[in-house]
Amino acid sequence: MSAASCLLTEDQFLCSICLDVLTDPVTIPCGHNFCKSCITEHLETRTMSQCPKCKKPFSIKPELKVNTLLSEMAAQFRQSAQQEASSSSSEQQVSKPGEVPCDVCTGTKLKALKSCLVCLASYCHTHLEPHLTASRLQRHQLMDPVENLESWTCEKHDKLLELFCKNDQMCVCMLCSVTDHRTHDVVPLKEEYGGKKAELGKTEADIQQMIQKRRLKIEEIKQSVELSDKNADREIAEGVQVFSALKERVERSQAELNHTLKEKQRETQKQAEGFIKELQQEISELEKRSSEVEQLSRSEDHLHLLQNFTSLNAAPPTKDWTGVRVHPPSYEGTVVRAVKQLEETLREQMKKLVFNVELERVQQYEVDVTLDPDTAHPCLILSDDGKQVYCGNVKRDLPDNPERFSKCCGVLAKQSVSSGRFYYEVQVKGKTNWDLGVAKESINMEGKILLSPQNGYWTIWLRNENEYKALACPGVRLSLQSGPEKVGVFVDYEEGLVSFYDVDAAALIYSFTSCSFTEKLHLYFGPCPNDGGKNSAPLIISPVNHTDESNPQKFKRIKLNS
């Protein structure tokens, strides 16, 4: 029996009415066990006989007989609990702040071991002893120590709040359940406690999930701020670079203007100094002759005066200075002309700097691109690594494939994109004709194809070595200062933007704007026919040569759909 009883728990010996260990247990027809006095009182206060636990009704009031086996087991369990309580009597502790003290102790309050819901008092081990030994007190309901025991009693009937009314969502006593709440759904407090605790567990889980979502949102916001800071720092650095270059150009222009003005000033000064030197030399000669004339005029020697008169009478060679003038250079308009020239220079330089910054910005979206041989026109020859394509002289005999260009001398890349931004570069050096751009997934690849946005193509081309055109509707002829040797292609799917750049010149060639992309985009390459060898150079997909390797964020590679 002791071996079996050790496997049993206190809950199995509790009466669901008084919530204490069973005393004189009886079993009613539905199989539930109660103290004989508890079930007797319960049945007497009900107009209809039913089990207080499962609510099963009985047509006739059941005959109550003590279950002797259960009575013995409950007695043994009670005795075991008393022995356990006695063995722990030496371990009593003084009540600490936050712990429930014994209500009976005088002087030093010991820590309460149990609270009695009938006596509405808490007891240490010593003062709990009567509740464990006295038969009258053994019927009292004990629980773990709690404060404010008055809140466990019904204010109206002064009875223990041992039931819960689901209709009114409140705790009630036994008398409340047969009076004010007679027709309501009333269950034992312990049963509702379990359900509410499970609800709290679910609520706690929901709250933790909400907390986790908000923590993730905080991280997302922090990452956005971090990205914003990086972008701002990048823009500041680029702004310093641009304005420093412009400032340097302004200072250089100012220095050039100052140098020009000073050169004119020096030339005028040099000319004036030359005139003055000549005049001073003539004055010196004239003063010498004046002295000789004066000396001769004073001579009383007739012969001497007459013999030297002829040589002195002849005037020395001198310059006619009547028409000689030093004309100050005209400075009017010099500054205006310099500013206009600076303005034109700055305009070109700003344009180049801005495009250079823009090109560096879009280069951060570089993608790894390889050509798809299954889409290539039979005349096209692809390199083994899928990075080069040119048109051969012989049309190869290839199996029919609805995804292969049949008439148009073109090929698609293996990669496609349906969101975000991407950029790649293609070398077109040495070619007289080519097509480049993107095409939507549903393009028609059979027969003759007209490259236009209406047909799903956003492209530019070169024809006859120097005729560049954006294939919009209508087409736009492009006036380029020089033919690009490497073309960069940038696409912003969400913004509906397709831009083409001259990589070496850092200049924008053309942009398709306000495009409406609703399906995947493929990268399109058209090396065009060989033209008797004149157009035999290949289109080459080139890696991007980044100019600022110090910013790793700029050069993350984007993986496209393959």
Side-chain angles (χ1 to χ4, degrees):
M1 173 65 71
S2 61
S5 64
C6 69
L7 299 177
L8 300 175
T9 63
E10 182 179 4
D11 290 345
Q12 294 172 290
F13 294 100
L14 293 181
C15 171
S16 59
I17 296 177
C18 66
L19 299 180
D20 201 356
V21 178
L22 292 166
T23 302
D24 296 332
V26 296
T27 304
I28 61 178
C30 63
H32 291 118
N33 301 297
F34 304 92
C35 296
K36 184 176 181 180
S37 58
C38 291
I39 190 65
T40 300
E41 181 181 356
H42 175 79
L43 294 177
E44 288 177 352
T45 58
R46 294 290 192 279
T47 57
M48 180 179 68
S49 299
Q50 63 176 6
C51 174
K53 190 168 186 179
C54 67
K55 308 298 182 182
K56 182 177 180 180
F58 307 115
S59 56
I60 57 174
K61 183 178 294 188
E63 183 181 356
L64 301 177
K65 293 183 179 180
V66 175
N67 187 325
T68 55
L69 176 60
L70 188 59
S71 179
E72 292 177 1
M73 294 179 65
Q76 290 184 8
F77 186 86
R78 186 181 294 104
Q79 183 180 1
S80 176
Q82 292 173 353
Q83 292 175 352
E84 182 179 351
S86 298
S87 63
S88 61
S89 60
S90 60
E91 300 177 3
Q92 295 185 78
Q93 298 177 354
V94 176
S95 174
K96 298 177 182 179
E99 295 179 339
V100 179
C102 176
D103 292 324
V104 182
C105 288
T106 59
T108 302
K109 293 282 188 178
L110 296 181
K111 177 182 177 181
L113 186 64
K114 291 288 184 180
S115 293
C116 178
L117 294 178
V118 177
C119 302
L120 296 180
S122 298
Y123 304 102
C124 65
H125 179 269
T126 301
H127 296 117
L128 181 65
E129 186 69 21
H131 280 76
L132 302 177
T133 56
S135 58
R136 179 178 59 83
L137 297 178
Q138 286 178 355
R139 297 175 56 81
H140 290 190
Q141 183 176 350
L142 299 177
M143 63 178 296
D144 291 335
V146 294
E147 295 180 330
N148 301 323
L149 284 171
E150 292 80 4
S151 62
W152 284 74
T153 59
C154 176
E155 294 181 356
K156 184 176 182 180
H157 302 107
D158 200 26
K159 296 289 184 179
L160 181 66
L161 297 174
E162 53 185 328
L163 302 174
F164 185 83
C165 175
K166 289 190 173 184
N167 297 70
D168 296 332
Q169 290 292 298
M170 60 183 296
C171 298
V172 297
C173 68
M174 188 67 69
L175 290 178
C176 289
S177 66
V178 297
T179 56
D180 299 339
H181 302 268
R182 182 171 58 83
T183 60
H184 293 178
D185 185 7
V186 178
V187 297
L189 205 63
K190 189 173 184 180
E191 179 181 330
E192 185 65 18
Y193 167 82
K196 286 293 190 289
K197 193 168 185 179
E199 286 185 27
L200 289 175
K202 183 179 182 302
T203 302
E204 174 65 13
D206 293 340
I207 293 173
Q208 289 299 324
Q209 186 177 11
M210 293 171 67
I211 292 173
Q212 184 63 22
K213 286 182 178 179
R214 280 150 182 77
R215 285 175 176 167
L216 292 175
K217 180 57 69 174
I218 290 175
E219 290 301 317
E220 179 185 331
I221 293 172
K222 287 182 177 179
Q223 290 177 3
S224 298
V225 172
E226 184 179 351
L227 179 61
S228 175
D229 291 343
K230 289 181 180 178
N231 291 339
D233 292 341
R234 182 193 66 206
E235 292 297 322
I236 291 172
E238 291 175 352
V240 170
Q241 177 186 354
V242 170
F243 283 98
S244 296
L246 295 176
K247 181 181 177 182
E248 181 184 350
R249 187 67 188 92
V250 171
E251 291 174 348
R252 188 161 64 248
S253 295
Q254 183 182 12
E256 291 172 356
L257 174 62
N258 294 343
H259 177 74
T260 300
L261 295 175
K262 288 181 179 180
E263 278 296 313
K264 288 185 178 183
Q265 185 182 13
R266 278 193 294 268
E267 289 177 4
T268 303
Q269 187 175 359
K270 185 177 180 182
Q271 184 186 37
E273 289 175 351
F275 290 158
I276 292 171
K277 185 177 181 181
E278 287 185 54
L279 289 167
Q280 288 176 341
Q281 287 177 350
E282 290 189 4
I283 290 171
S284 179
E285 291 293 330
L286 291 171
E287 287 177 343
K288 180 180 179 182
R289 185 170 182 274
S290 174
S291 177
E292 291 175 351
V293 169
E294 182 183 0
Q295 185 179 358
L296 184 61
S297 67
R298 293 177 181 177
S299 176
E300 298 294 333
D301 186 342
H302 299 81
L303 180 62
H304 175 73
L305 186 147
L306 293 173
Q307 286 178 341
N308 291 284
F309 179 81
T310 304
S311 61
L312 286 175
N313 192 39
T318 56
K319 184 176 180 179
D320 183 8
W321 291 93
T322 306
V324 176
R325 296 285 188 277
V326 174
H327 298 284
S330 175
Y331 296 107
E332 285 76 9
T334 304
V335 175
V336 174
R337 288 191 297 272
V339 170
K340 286 185 177 180
Q341 183 178 358
L342 174 62
E343 183 180 358
E344 185 63 28
T345 303
L346 287 178
R347 185 181 295 111
E348 291 298 323
Q349 190 165 1
M350 279 197 311
K351 185 177 179 181
K352 185 173 182 179
L353 286 171
V354 169
F355 278 129
N356 188 56
V357 169
E358 181 181 348
L359 183 59
E360 287 182 0
R361 185 174 298 151
V362 300
Q363 282 179 335
Q364 68 177 303
Y365 300 104
E366 176 191 1
V367 297
D368 187 14
V369 178
T370 52
L371 301 172
D372 184 1
D374 293 336
T375 65
H377 184 275
C379 285
L380 297 185
I381 308 298
L382 276 63
S383 61
D384 293 338
D385 62 359
K387 299 295 184 180
Q388 301 186 27
V389 58
Y390 66 93
C391 185
N393 293 317
V394 179
K395 183 176 182 179
R396 295 174 297 162
D397 185 15
L398 298 175
D400 292 337
N401 181 2
E403 296 181 353
R404 184 187 304 281
F405 288 103
S406 60
K407 296 293 183 182
C408 177
C409 197
V411 60
L412 300 178
K414 290 181 178 179
Q415 293 77 17
S416 63
V417 65
S418 56
S419 64
R421 303 165 182 169
F422 62 92
Y423 173 86
Y424 61 97
E425 293 180 354
V426 183
Q427 180 178 308
V428 297
K429 181 179 179 180
K431 296 192 65 60
T432 60
N433 299 281
W434 49 258
D435 310 324
L436 282 178
V438 296
K440 65 182 183 181
E441 189 172 37
S442 61
I443 55 171
N444 178 22
M445 305 177 69
E446 297 183 359
K448 189 175 181 180
I449 295 174
L450 177 63
L451 300 179
S452 69
Q454 281 73 8
N455 293 329
Y457 292 87
W458 292 266
T459 58
I460 63 172
W461 76 11
L462 166 66
R463 292 293 184 269
N464 304 321
E465 298 187 26
N466 59 5
E467 296 178 7
Y468 294 91
K469 192 174 184 181
L471 303 180
C473 288
V476 179
R477 188 173 296 276
L478 305 174
S479 298
L480 306 182
Q481 293 183 352
S482 60
E485 294 187 351
K486 186 181 290 186
V487 176
V489 183
F490 172 70
V491 176
D492 187 328
Y493 191 95
E494 281 74 21
E495 289 295 325
L497 175 68
V498 182
S499 296
F500 300 87
Y501 295 88
D502 182 338
V503 176
D504 297 322
L508 178 66
I509 298 175
Y510 185 80
S511 286
F512 291 91
T513 59
S514 301
C515 307
S516 179
F517 301 135
T518 58
E519 54 186 277
K520 288 183 179 179
L521 294 179
H522 292 268
L523 318 185
Y524 172 77
F525 301 81
C528 296
N530 186 283
D531 195 17
K534 294 181 181 180
N535 192 38
S536 60
L539 290 176
I540 303 174
I541 300 171
S542 306
V544 173
N545 181 23
H546 300 290
T547 57
D548 182 7
E549 297 291 347
S550 64
N551 187 353
Q553 283 296 323
K554 276 191 175 185
F555 311 115
K556 58 184 179 181
R557 296 182 69 84
I558 299 175
K559 188 174 181 181
L560 298 183
N561 301 322
S562 300

